[in-house]
Amino acid sequence: MAVGTSRLAETHGALLCQSGGLDAFGIDPDDLPDGLVVADETGRVICFNAAAVRITAMSSGEALGLPLERALPLEDLKGCRWWTLTDPYGGLATRVGQPERNLLLPGGREVLVAARYVREYPTGPVHRLVVSLRGTEARRRTERSHAELIATVAHELRSPLTSVKGFTATLLAKWERFTDDQKRLMLETVDADANRVTRLIAELLDISRIDSGRLEVRRQPVDIAAAVGRHIQAHIASGQSPDRFFVRIQRPLPDLWADPDKIDQVLGNLLENAVRHGAGTVTIDVAPALAKDDEKGTAVTVSDEGPGIPEASMGRVFTRFWRGSKRGGTGLGLYIVKGIVEAHGGTITVGRGPGGGAEFRFILPVSAPAYLG
């Protein structure tokens, strides 16, 4: 096709696309994020937008005017020609389209395809055939993420469950051979490993709720300064030096309505990260701050004096499976922390602290319980 003819066809195709209703909203088909292919009542292509060009690697000049089966030579995963199989123009007059499914372009490239049959009146002949095309990259990323989650969970569960099984089997088989102190040590180990499994299951449930938007927040009055103090005392009781922590509370703090259990989860995760992966003094600042839309809020900053987080990694800190070091963990904690803070209407950021280490800062709006909303 000559260049002038190709440009004319592209312009003609765009006008036909616009006459189908897009122009009423001031939308150019090339502005659509998904591929759009429209065929007329004869089965010839009259619209082939820029996203379709990108996905199929066929120019709109080549596609416009071609029979649909030549412009989009799709096959299913069994190698059957898709348009022959579905027969949109000659099939049942009650059909309205085809649901999205994986199909193959020439060369084996996968594409997600859905079709809509436009009829001028019910059960009439197909007047327009509208086809949407999407790449499979987003679905592949989701599938990889799910596979990684399953692999991580399997790995994290294997170790404690193996320990629990080993110790319980040993105790059942040789109970009389062990002293009371030995039995106590084994049972304490089993108890610790059971707690580890429980925490992992809780993380998985949190991730499921965050991903589905179903994370519930039960708001109550929260004394966040007291909550910080409890977590520090827990670390001191487990062997950390009191000198490891420095707390600054800027009073008066605004009243805070939040879910106390979930705020404990956020504080516990951030402090554990600072103690485990950081170094030097762990500083916790609690102060009034402005949240979104200039609403009153409370800011909590946790920083350490360790090596910090590389600049290149800061954009991935709150993603699944990100680990700041090789010291274990599922890599899910900070993802959950971000989900909890955002479920409260707050924000969380990461940066470099005054001592050179990592600095996490989250701001929670004052809010109110649901029954006062």
Side-chain angles (χ1 to χ4, degrees):
M1 184 180 288
V3 174
T5 307
S6 173
R7 288 178 179 168
L8 180 62
E10 290 180 16
T11 305
H12 180 59
L15 288 171
L16 284 167
C17 247
Q18 291 171 349
S19 68
L22 291 174
D23 192 45
F25 299 97
I27 299 173
D28 187 326
D30 287 343
D31 293 335
L32 297 175
D34 295 337
L36 174 67
V37 180
V38 182
D40 63 13
E41 62 274 7
T42 68
R44 293 188 176 273
V45 174
I46 59 174
C47 180
F48 203 84
N49 75 345
V53 171
R54 173 177 52 80
I55 292 169
T56 63
M58 173 181 281
S59 72
S60 57
E62 293 175 304
L64 292 171
L66 283 180
L68 185 60
E69 62 269 17
R70 287 180 57 194
L72 280 180
L74 297 166
E75 295 182 353
D76 66 13
L77 302 182
K78 297 179 180 179
C80 300
R81 293 186 178 276
W82 183 238
W83 301 119
T84 303
L85 191 66
T86 56
D87 191 16
Y89 291 93
L92 293 173
T94 55
R95 291 188 305 172
V96 295
Q98 294 290 335
E100 187 176 73
R101 62 177 296 168
N102 257 31
L103 296 175
L104 300 176
L105 287 166
R109 286 174 296 156
E110 287 191 39
V111 62
L112 298 171
V113 181
R116 177 77 175 178
Y117 304 159
V118 181
R119 306 176 191 273
E120 291 186 323
Y121 56 90
T123 71
V126 173
H127 177 65
R128 292 284 187 270
L129 180 60
V130 182
V131 182
S132 71
L133 307 173
R134 291 196 301 131
T136 59
E137 295 81 6
R139 178 176 289 187
R140 293 297 182 210
R141 283 195 299 269
T142 301
E143 290 173 351
R144 283 196 298 271
S145 178
H146 289 164
E148 288 174 3
L149 182 59
I150 292 170
T152 299
V153 171
H155 174 76
E156 292 294 325
L157 285 175
R158 184 181 296 114
S159 177
L161 289 178
T162 300
S163 171
V164 168
K165 177 63 178 174
F167 279 121
T168 52
T170 301
L171 284 170
L172 288 171
K174 303 176 182 179
W175 179 266
E176 297 81 5
R177 300 185 186 182
F178 296 108
T179 66
D180 288 345
D181 288 341
Q182 288 173 325
K183 292 173 183 175
R184 174 175 291 277
L185 178 61
M186 289 185 183
L187 290 174
E188 287 174 347
T189 304
V190 168
D191 183 61
D193 285 331
N195 287 337
R196 183 175 163 191
V197 172
T198 302
R199 284 195 301 271
L200 179 59
I201 292 171
E203 284 185 346
L204 293 176
L205 291 173
D206 285 335
I207 287 174
S208 174
R209 294 179 184 125
I210 289 168
D211 288 347
S212 62
R214 297 198 310 269
L215 186 67
E216 293 185 4
V217 175
R218 307 184 196 283
R219 297 184 188 275
Q220 302 174 33
V222 172
D223 185 342
I224 198 156
V228 168
R230 287 197 307 272
H231 282 278
I232 291 174
Q233 288 303 317
H235 280 284
I236 292 171
S238 64
Q240 293 292 328
S241 168
D243 297 334
R244 181 87 195 270
F245 303 96
F246 179 63
V247 181
R248 285 192 292 249
I249 310 290
Q250 184 180 328
R251 299 184 186 275
L253 293 172
D255 294 334
L256 175 63
W257 289 82
D259 189 315
D261 291 336
K262 289 182 171 52
I263 297 306
D264 273 342
Q265 198 173 348
V266 170
L267 291 173
N269 195 294
L270 294 181
L271 281 170
E272 184 178 351
N273 277 351
V275 169
R276 180 187 293 182
H277 304 295
T281 302
V282 175
T283 302
I284 303 98
D285 286 288
V286 183
L290 289 178
K292 295 177 181 177
D293 302 322
D294 293 333
E295 183 183 356
K296 286 183 179 180
T298 301
V300 179
T301 306
V302 179
S303 59
D304 62 72
E305 299 173 338
I309 298 169
E311 197 73 30
S313 298
M314 284 190 180
R316 297 185 289 110
V317 165
F318 296 110
T319 59
R320 290 184 186 182
F321 312 119
W322 184 85
R323 295 180 177 87
S325 70
K326 298 179 180 179
R327 299 183 188 178
T330 60
L332 301 174
L334 291 175
Y335 177 81
I336 294 171
V337 163
K338 183 174 185 287
I340 291 174
V341 170
E342 290 181 347
H344 281 81
T347 58
I348 185 166
T349 56
V350 61
R352 190 168 292 280
E359 178 181 277
F360 290 90
R361 174 181 170 87
F362 68 91
I363 302 176
L364 298 174
V366 169
S367 298
Y371 63 83
L372 294 180

